[in-house]
Amino acid sequence: MSIYFYGCVTMDGYLADKDHGLDWLEQTGMAAETSYPEFYPTMDVTLMGRRTFQELERSGDASSVYPTTENYVFTHTALSQPGFTAVSGDVAGFAASLGPEKQIWVVGGNTLLAPLLDRDMVDHIILQVAPVLLGGGIPLFTQGEALRRFHLEEVRQYGPFAELRYRRAEGPGLP
């Protein structure tokens, strides 16, 4: 099992504005301008929270966005969208139960990412940085205080986005 976070933040580290909006991202560029077309086909599973799922629903046909992955939404509400399964409980335990051969993508959401980081389960972080400063909003990183090291593997530029590719460092502070 490999767990990935793949997503975009503002230069000041926010995933969304204070109302969970993504207008800043949609006005900056398109997914096709990033590594997304090469990244998505390598994933088996997506994990997302309710708010991320609601953003997908607003965009139209959510099932067409992630057609080839098993898609799980952490929510206490039943879902009517085909292709998505509602789950609840411990995200780290759920991810571990998916099996060792799965490539798992955490789609947005510090609520899901934080417990995975707390348990040192995130293997890769692919972070695009948009040339935007929000000054406030929903931060990407909210995990507990603990040193976590990642090794920078690559830096790419896609139009206005800088993409930083990290993998979890192995051993005590070593790449």
Side-chain angles (χ1 to χ4, degrees), residues 15-98:
L15 280 171
D17 66 26
K18 63 182 175 164
D19 298 320
H20 299 274
L22 297 174
D23 289 346
W24 64 270
L25 179 57
E26 294 159 2
Q27 294 166 1
T28 305
M30 305 295 293
E33 299 175 71
T34 67
S35 64
Y36 180 80
E38 70 188 58
F39 171 78
Y40 178 71
T42 67
M43 293 296 108
D44 300 307
V45 175
T46 68
L47 303 179
M48 67 190 77
R50 179 184 51 82
R51 286 191 176 116
T52 301
F53 179 71
Q54 287 172 330
E55 284 297 316
L56 276 179
E57 284 188 308
R58 275 179 247 201
S59 69
D61 180 17
S63 61
S64 69
V65 178
Y66 303 124
T68 62
T69 47
E70 299 169 37
N71 304 298
Y72 298 98
V73 180
F74 280 80
T75 181
H76 297 290
T77 308
L79 302 176
S80 60
Q81 187 71 244
F84 292 85
T85 303
V87 294
S88 61
D90 174 43
V91 64
F94 181 79
S97 76
L98 293 172

Side-chain angles (χ1 to χ4, degrees), residues 147-166:
L147 179 64
R148 299 280 184 252
R149 292 201 186 270
F150 286 81
H151 174 74
L152 179 64
E153 293 185 307
E154 188 174 4
V155 177
R156 298 180 182 180
Q157 180 178 353
Y158 292 97
F161 301 104
E163 182 177 272
L164 308 170
R165 291 176 167 254
Y166 295 96

Side-chain angles (χ1 to χ4, degrees), residues 67-137:
T68 62
T69 47
E70 299 169 37
N71 304 298
Y72 298 98
V73 180
F74 280 80
T75 181
H76 297 290
T77 308
L79 302 176
S80 60
Q81 187 71 244
F84 292 85
T85 303
V87 294
S88 61
D90 174 43
V91 64
F94 181 79
S97 76
L98 293 172
E101 73 287 349
K102 298 291 185 176
Q103 300 280 78
I104 301 168
W105 173 22
V106 179
V107 181
N110 56 18
T111 304
L112 298 184
L113 186 59
L116 294 168
L117 285 168
D118 286 340
R119 292 207 187 143
D120 206 21
M121 292 176 70
V122 178
D123 301 295
H124 302 273
I125 295 177
I126 302 172
L127 189 62
Q128 286 138 8
V129 181
V132 174
L133 294 170
L134 285 179

